[in-house]
Amino acid sequence: MDVELPEINLKAIGAVRNEIKEPTHQDSSEVISEIVIDSGLTKALDDLDKFSHIIVLYWIHRSRRPAPMKVHPRGDPERALMGVFATRSPSRPNPIGKATVKLLERQGNILKVRGLDAIDGTPVLDIKPYIPGYDSVDDCRAPSWMVKK
Amino acid sequence: MDVELPEINLKAIGAVRNEIKEPTHQDSSEVISEIVIDSGLTKALDDLDKFSHIIVLYWIHRSRRPAPMKVHPRGDPERALMGVFATRSPSRPNPIGKATVKLLERQGNILKVRGLDAIDGTPVLDIKPYIPGYDSVDDCRAPSWMVKK
């Protein structure tokens, strides 16, 4: 290809603390986590509690490297291989996870959230407010077995 | 804080091509873009067209560094300063953008999309399928002026 693909350096802004110590395929929608943000960035969290939900971008530090081109979705060998970009597999060329979670509480530099699909110690890259209409799509299509009820 | 914050290195997987040559606050919901993915990763895009919408993570390479702690949302000085993590400002500690866009077409290593809020030449970090119920929230709260109709 004729476009330049730069290398990019970033620094975690915080880390996840929870009871999940090893990678798992289990549903994490009820898991409670704390996101401990670098205390030098505490002021940048102001006003976040105006939102009920936030988007967390995190570094999947335990992902398999190098990433495969195709994976069995959800690690289930009975499902046909799919291109990794068509899945949410943690093993991807840049293993960045994206979760939309409920913000239960903010205390200083600590965010308490529900539903974060990340294990204890996961480095956090960014926090964004979840904005309905910008982050959600009303009329969309996806394989029915992937849709979360 | 007592958690370790590692430095992280990643490599763009592709780049954006469109008509937007300079950063802007204009609505990009009708902008058509091509995402040109590294041809070595073409197979990892297989099955993506089973989804009508995709999530694009990209590196906001023209963002202001270092990032401010507080910003005027949408760059509008008449709006009160907010913590940068409570906004979608491009000037953030790790300037990673996240957009949910309509996938119009995939041809080999090129994705044609509508609604990508990124300028020409923006490095792309990851592509994920948009999964309703996982990426969307039915019952949520956000300041009404931020919600996109």
Side-chain angles (χ1 to χ4, degrees):
Chain A
M1 67 186 293
D2 61 351
V3 296
E4 208 180 315
L5 298 180
E7 297 203 11
I8 290 164
N9 303 309
L10 32 79
K11 191 166 192 312
I13 60 164
V16 173
R17 281 193 189 144
N18 64 24
E19 295 299 311
I20 315 297
K21 306 299 177 193
E22 293 294 325
T24 165
H25 287 284
Q26 285 192 321
D27 177 44
S28 57
S29 56
E30 295 302 319
V31 171
I32 305 291
S33 300
E34 283 185 351
I35 301 173
V36 183
I37 300 291
D38 181 343
S39 56
L41 296 171
T42 302
K43 281 185 180 164
L45 296 169
D46 287 353
D47 307 295
L48 196 61
D49 50 11
K50 293 186 167 77
F51 299 83
S52 64
H53 290 75
I54 60 175
I55 293 170
V56 182
L57 301 182
Y58 51 96
W59 184 249
I60 310 168
H61 62 306
R62 298 273 297 273
S63 78
R64 186 157 50 109
R65 309 295 289 271
M69 290 285 136
K70 305 241 174 179
V71 295
H72 296 289
R74 299 180 186 172
D76 179 354
E78 297 196 359
R79 292 199 184 275
L81 285 167
M82 288 176 76
V84 69
F85 290 131
T87 77
R88 300 298 278 260
S89 170
S91 302
R92 41 203 320 116
N94 288 315
I96 302 175
K98 178 250 159 204
T100 301
V101 301
K102 185 164 173 62
L103 177 60
L104 300 172
E105 190 178 83
R106 176 218 167 176
Q107 287 211 340
N109 66 324
I110 299 181
L111 306 174
K112 189 173 168 185
V113 302
R114 187 172 64 213
L116 181 57
D117 185 17
I119 68 171
D120 189 53
T122 297
V124 172
L125 303 177
D126 197 12
I127 301 285
K128 300 179 190 291
Y130 173 82
I131 301 177
Y134 183 75
D135 292 308
S136 60
V137 179
D138 281 340
D139 184 19
C140 62
R141 178 173 50 81
S144 59
W145 59 270
M146 271 200 169
V147 175
K148 200 166 159 193
K149 306 297 177 204
Chain B
M1 65 186 296
D2 62 352
V3 295
E4 207 180 314
L5 297 180
E7 296 203 10
I8 289 164
N9 302 309
L10 31 79
K11 191 166 193 313
I13 61 164
V16 173
R17 280 194 190 142
N18 63 24
E19 295 299 312
I20 315 297
K21 306 300 178 193
E22 292 295 324
T24 166
H25 286 284
Q26 286 192 322
D27 178 42
S28 57
S29 54
E30 295 303 318
V31 171
I32 306 290
S33 301
E34 283 185 350
I35 301 173
V36 183
I37 300 291
D38 181 344
S39 56
L41 296 171
T42 302
K43 280 186 180 165
L45 296 169
D46 286 355
D47 308 294
L48 197 60
D49 49 12
K50 292 185 167 77
F51 299 84
S52 64
H53 290 74
I54 61 174
I55 293 170
V56 182
L57 300 182
Y58 52 95
W59 184 248
I60 309 168
H61 62 307
R62 298 273 297 273
S63 77
R64 185 156 51 108
R65 309 295 290 271
M69 291 284 136
K70 305 242 174 180
V71 296
H72 295 289
R74 298 180 187 171
D76 179 354
E78 297 196 358
R79 293 199 183 273
L81 285 167
M82 288 175 75
V84 69
F85 290 132
T87 77
R88 299 298 278 261
S89 169
S91 301
R92 40 205 319 116
N94 288 315
I96 302 175
K98 177 248 159 206
T100 301
V101 301
K102 185 163 174 61
L103 177 60
L104 300 171
E105 192 178 83
R106 177 219 166 175
Q107 289 212 340
N109 66 324
I110 299 181
L111 307 174
K112 189 173 169 185
V113 302
R114 186 172 65 213
L116 181 57
D117 184 17
I119 68 172
D120 189 53
T122 297
V124 172
L125 303 177
D126 197 11
I127 301 286
K128 301 178 189 292
Y130 174 82
I131 301 177
Y134 184 75
D135 293 307
S136 61
V137 179
D138 281 339
D139 184 19
C140 63
R141 178 174 50 81
S144 59
W145 60 270
M146 272 200 169
V147 175
K148 200 166 159 194
K149 306 296 178 203

